[in-house]
């Protein structure tokens, strides 16, 4: 088994994959999902890899429908959490965000999502949202008010993050 393949940069892997596809690949409506690289017994590898690829595809189609290639390693946590999305645990995690789902707070929800997509980097988040960093700080403070959760408490911050993944 080649243990080097999980470490291939996805853009390089994407180029290699496109060489294997038909000439008119970009004109077709293909969606490709790559499952997990596993360290389990060989008889389980195909089944589990297939399941992770299907879960990755389902997540990718829902959240990034324009992409054509979805890799489990790129969406690991959201794909792993997808199994609890319809559970009472997910409902509990989403309760604090209930106020953000209201129309007047849609901007705050978007801000929160971009904040986590930017790895909690204030400058990068502000840049992606085309707002001033002070505006971002104001919005984050408003999110704390609406959710009653604090970005300075690790448990609260984790709850906010998991809620955005499950939403």
């Amino acid at each position: 088994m080649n243990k080097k393949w999980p470490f291939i940069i996805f853009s390089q892997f994407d180029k290699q994959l496109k060489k294997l596809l038909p000439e008119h690949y970009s004109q077709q409506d293909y969606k490709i999902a790559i499952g997990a690289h596993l360290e389990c017994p060989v008889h389980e590898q195909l089944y589990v890899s297939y399941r992770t690829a299907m879960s990755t595809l389902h997540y990718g189609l829902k959240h990034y429908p324009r992409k054509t290639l979805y890799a489990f390693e790129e969406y690991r946590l959201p794909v792993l959490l997808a199994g609890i999305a319809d559970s009472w645990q997910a409902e509990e995690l989403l309760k604090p965000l209930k106020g953000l789902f209201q129309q007047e707070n849609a901007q705050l929800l978007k801000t929160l999502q971009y904040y986590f997509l930017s790895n909690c980097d204030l400058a990068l988040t502000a840049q992606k949202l085309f707002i001033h960093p002070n505006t971002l700080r104001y919005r984050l403070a408003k999110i704390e008010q609406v959710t009653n959760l604090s970005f300075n408490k690790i448990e609260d911050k984790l709850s906010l993050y998991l809620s955005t993944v499950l939403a």
Side-chain angles (χ1 to χ4, degrees):
M1 180 179 355
N2 182 357
K3 296 203 182 242
K4 293 181 183 177
W5 83 264
F7 304 106
I8 295 174
I9 298 171
F10 287 113
S11 63
Q12 290 175 339
F13 184 74
D14 192 24
K15 290 175 188 173
Q16 291 174 343
L17 184 62
K18 285 181 180 176
K19 288 179 187 175
L20 299 172
L21 295 171
E23 207 173 291
H24 301 290
Y25 165 73
S26 60
Q27 297 171 1
Q28 300 295 324
D29 191 19
Y30 287 102
K31 300 291 183 182
I32 299 169
I34 302 167
H37 176 69
L38 307 164
E39 298 293 332
C40 58
V42 175
H43 65 278
E44 294 176 22
Q45 286 179 1
L46 184 60
Y47 173 74
V48 177
S49 185
Y50 172 77
R51 297 278 313 263
T52 59
M54 291 305 294
S55 295
T56 302
L57 180 63
H58 180 71
Y59 174 81
L61 289 172
K62 180 178 178 185
H63 296 281
Y64 303 98
R66 292 184 176 168
K67 288 185 82 171
T68 56
L69 178 64
Y70 309 105
F72 173 76
E73 293 303 320
E74 189 176 359
Y75 306 111
R76 189 173 196 283
L77 185 59
V79 170
L80 290 172
L81 291 174
I84 70 161
D86 296 324
S87 68
W88 68 268
Q89 292 96 336
E91 282 183 38
E92 285 300 311
L93 278 170
L94 289 170
K95 273 185 182 177
L97 262 65
K98 200 175 205 175
L100 296 181
F101 291 128
Q102 296 170 355
Q103 186 62 35
E104 65 270 11
N105 291 328
Q107 186 180 56
L108 295 178
L109 181 60
K110 180 181 175 183
T111 299
L112 183 63
Q113 291 168 333
Y114 272 85
Y115 176 70
F116 287 122
L117 286 172
S118 301
N119 290 316
C120 304
D121 183 322
L122 292 175
L124 182 59
T125 305
Q127 181 183 7
K128 285 183 176 182
L129 290 170
F130 302 104
I131 60 175
H132 192 276
N134 288 341
T135 304
L136 176 60
R137 286 184 189 90
Y138 170 80
R139 288 184 188 178
L140 293 176
K142 191 77 172 158
I143 289 168
E144 287 182 327
Q145 288 176 347
V146 171
T147 63
N148 290 321
L149 297 174
S150 171
F151 286 102
N152 293 325
K153 292 181 183 175
I154 191 69
E155 188 174 322
D156 289 357
K157 194 171 198 173
L158 179 61
S159 291
L160 285 166
Y161 173 69
L162 292 175
S163 297
T164 61
V165 169
L166 292 170

